[in-house]
Amino acid sequence: MKYDLENINARFGIGSQKWQEMKNNPLVDEKVIPFSVADMEFKLAPEITEGLKKFIDDNILGYAGTNKKYRENVCKWQQKHHDFTVDEKWLVETHSVVNAFFTAVKAFTQKGDGVMLFTPVYYPMYKAIEINQRKLVEIPLINNGMTYDIDWDLFTKKAKAIDTKMLILCSPHNPCGRIWTREELTKISEICLANDILVVADEIHADLIMPGFKHVSYGTISKEALEHSIICTAPSKTFNLAGMQLSNVFIANENYRNLFKAEQATDADFACSILSYEACRLAYEYGEEWLTEVINIIDTNKKTIMDFMQEYFPQVKITQLQATYLLWLDFRAFNLTNEELEMRNRQKACLYFDEGYIFGKAGSGFERWNLACPTKYIYWALERLYQAYKEFAVK
Ligand SMILES: Cc1ncc(COP(=O)(O)O)c(C=O)c1O
């Protein structure tokens, strides 16, 4: 291994809410890390840290927009990793992907309009709809045991409703770890195009793909699909740069792009920072090798948990992880309430997951386990899990 992905920096005292949450539990020791909010415990790629240091040595941190090298690298990354040929002029930067889909909801829908979500799903998507007084149109995903599928009949029916105007598509899907296939995305696009529904594709997890799988960018489905979509990408999940707060949104349709920018301009300040651009440029230009090592560890962590559960707690069902570093575990067989599950995890096992119910009703009884950490923390966590749930163990 070229990179130090075995050691972490504890994040107490630097404003990391997920670390701070554990502070009051006297059982928390140096073997305990949080497995909640989706950032990584891995140290940054040295290509990024060293590059940023040099940048600060050589520059002042004034106001700045993007530069040519930045734009080229952002576009090249999409081409090389997702076969998505983008034009630089489609690119619009936002503070974050959440900011991008909030802006899209405001720019392209009116109060009372329906916005579809495949649920359970990343919780701020509900908020973007509700806080802007749009109507949530839920299309619950069908849990087929191993993974989740789209309920096509329901989707088609809801898409046809006169007031349904938008689909926010989480692709790959968080928390279900699902990659939507080309066939599925084509079907989604056909339904949306037939009903004049704009697709906002949140592809923030697109680079975190497990071995054997491939992400399909919504921008590669068809010219028509591309022209009727907003595609949100970012280096933040891929390279652990969430604190840099930057997203690259591709809007091929000039009219939509102008409307999106006009909505952005209603905010007092929507510019991104000079350091976020540089971090992103460094990541896309030099970060690939680091990412490959990180994905291998995530895959190892996933297998470690799956083997352990299969041996000791086979009644806990684990959704196939095709993408993301967020494992979705179904603890409903233990017959515990959400509160009991959360209390037992936190107080007895020092396990700080994201509770499934925050992703919607269908997440009740589930836990989302962030795997982006050195493998030793997974082993230690499994030992604690065993002790806390011993009465359910099959051996
Ligand atoms: C699907 C999805 N979109 C967006 C975000 C947040 O992205 P950002 O920090 O750029 O708003 C996350 C973070 O977990 C996510 O899972």
Side-chain angles (χ1 to χ4, degrees):
M1 247 180 14
K2 176 171 166 187
Y3 299 98
D4 173 13
L5 299 172
E6 310 247 295
N7 297 296
I8 65 161
N9 296 322
R11 287 194 272 161
F12 292 116
I14 61 155
S16 165
Q17 205 192 331
K18 71 171 176 177
W19 274 79
Q20 217 54 40
E21 256 187 352
M22 307 187 309
K23 207 54 187 165
N24 297 331
N25 183 347
L27 298 175
V28 166
D29 62 20
E30 70 287 351
K31 291 182 171 177
V32 176
I33 60 168
F35 298 117
S36 51
V37 181
D39 57 17
M40 302 180 178
E41 298 310 329
F42 298 123
K43 293 182 183 194
L44 293 188
E47 290 82 354
I48 300 176
T49 44
E50 293 310 313
L52 284 178
K53 283 181 203 162
K54 176 156 176 25
F55 186 81
I56 292 172
D57 283 343
D58 296 347
N59 292 281
I60 58 144
L61 302 180
Y63 294 119
T66 63
N67 55 60
K68 191 165 165 33
K69 237 166 125 182
Y70 171 84
R71 290 191 299 273
E72 275 172 11
N73 275 289
V74 168
C75 296
K76 246 199 231 162
W77 184 271
Q78 288 302 319
Q79 180 71 61
K80 179 169 178 196
H81 293 267
H82 306 303
D83 308 314
F84 182 24
T85 309
V86 294
D87 187 324
E88 269 187 35
K89 69 171 187 289
W90 303 349
L91 186 56
V92 185
E93 304 81 40
T94 69
H95 276 155
S96 67
V97 169
V98 169
N99 180 287
F101 61 66
F102 267 66
T103 302
V105 166
K106 285 188 278 178
F108 303 112
T109 65
Q110 306 292 322
K111 280 189 185 156
D113 282 350
V115 179
M116 293 182 287
L117 292 179
F118 295 127
T119 61
V121 77
Y122 179 56
Y123 45 90
M125 291 178 177
Y126 298 97
K127 190 173 170 195
I129 297 167
E130 282 154 12
I131 214 163
N132 290 306
Q133 293 161 279
R134 272 58 170 174
K135 191 173 78 189
L136 170 65
V137 181
E138 238 182 303
I139 325 282
L141 291 166
I142 300 167
N143 185 346
N144 71 21
M146 190 168 88
T147 187
Y148 285 77
D149 293 314
I150 292 169
D151 181 339
W152 293 106
D153 289 342
L154 183 65
F155 178 41
T156 307
K157 188 171 143 214
K158 298 279 185 182
K160 278 188 182 152
I162 194 84
D163 56 354
T164 304
K165 302 288 184 206
M166 180 179 277
L167 165 68
I168 305 181
L169 176 68
C170 194
S171 176
H173 191 88
N174 169 19
C176 302
R178 176 73 146 74
I179 289 178
W180 305 114
T181 64
R182 183 164 297 279
E183 291 67 37
E184 287 167 327
L185 291 172
T186 302
K187 206 163 161 182
I188 289 173
S189 75
E190 286 165 358
I191 293 167
C192 288
L193 286 167
N195 295 288
D196 201 16
I197 285 163
L198 183 68
V199 175
V200 178
D202 175 344
E203 301 197 355
I204 196 168
H205 294 281
D207 303 313
L208 293 151
I209 303 301
M210 292 304 106
F213 291 94
K214 174 124 180 76
H215 166 72
V216 181
S217 168
Y218 194 78
T220 65
I221 295 303
S222 68
K223 191 165 179 324
E224 293 71 31
L226 175 64
E227 284 283 326
H228 287 85
S229 63
I230 310 284
I231 298 171
C232 309
T233 72
S236 46
K237 297 291 149 199
T238 316
F239 293 103
N240 205 14
L241 295 173
M244 280 287 172
Q245 295 191 280
L246 172 67
S247 153
N248 296 301
V249 183
F250 294 100
I251 311 178
N253 182 313
E254 188 180 358
N255 183 30
Y256 288 155
R257 194 163 62 243
N258 290 336
L259 287 169
F260 186 92
K261 285 183 177 175
E263 182 58 48
Q264 262 191 318
T266 63
D267 273 348
D269 180 14
F270 59 93
C272 302
S273 88
I274 189 169
L275 281 182
S276 70
Y277 293 134
E278 185 60 3
C280 175
R281 199 268 304 169
L282 289 160
Y284 283 158
E285 194 163 355
Y286 304 114
E288 203 175 322
E289 238 187 300
W290 178 90
L291 178 61
T292 304
E293 286 193 12
V294 161
I295 287 176
N296 285 336
I297 296 177
I298 292 164
D299 192 42
T300 302
N301 291 351
K302 174 202 75 179
K303 286 179 182 146
T304 304
I305 295 172
M306 290 185 80
D307 290 348
F308 173 90
M309 289 298 190
Q310 187 51 40
E311 189 169 354
Y312 297 103
F313 300 105
Q315 64 277 54
V316 174
K317 302 285 174 242
I318 303 181
T319 303
Q320 184 185 40
L321 191 76
Q322 303 177 353
T324 83
Y325 50 75
L326 307 163
L327 196 64
W328 187 237
L329 301 101
D330 179 356
F331 283 90
R332 286 176 298 175
F334 291 172
N335 275 322
L336 299 171
T337 64
N338 285 326
E339 293 69 29
E340 286 164 347
L341 199 56
E342 182 168 0
M343 282 301 283
R344 192 185 288 230
N345 283 336
R346 292 182 174 219
Q347 300 307 327
K348 258 182 117 171
C350 296
L351 288 168
Y352 291 79
F353 299 132
D354 268 320
E355 301 307 313
Y357 60 81
I358 68 174
F359 301 92
K361 284 190 291 291
S364 209
F366 286 71
E367 298 285 355
R368 195 190 72 169
W369 189 332
N370 180 338
L371 307 179
C373 64
T375 304
K376 63 189 175 197
Y377 291 96
I378 300 288
Y379 280 116
W380 289 328
L382 290 173
E383 282 168 16
R384 300 195 303 272
L385 189 139
Y386 183 82
Q387 290 306 326
Y389 288 95
K390 237 190 311 202
E391 79 261 34
F392 299 107
V394 294
K395 72 185 225 200

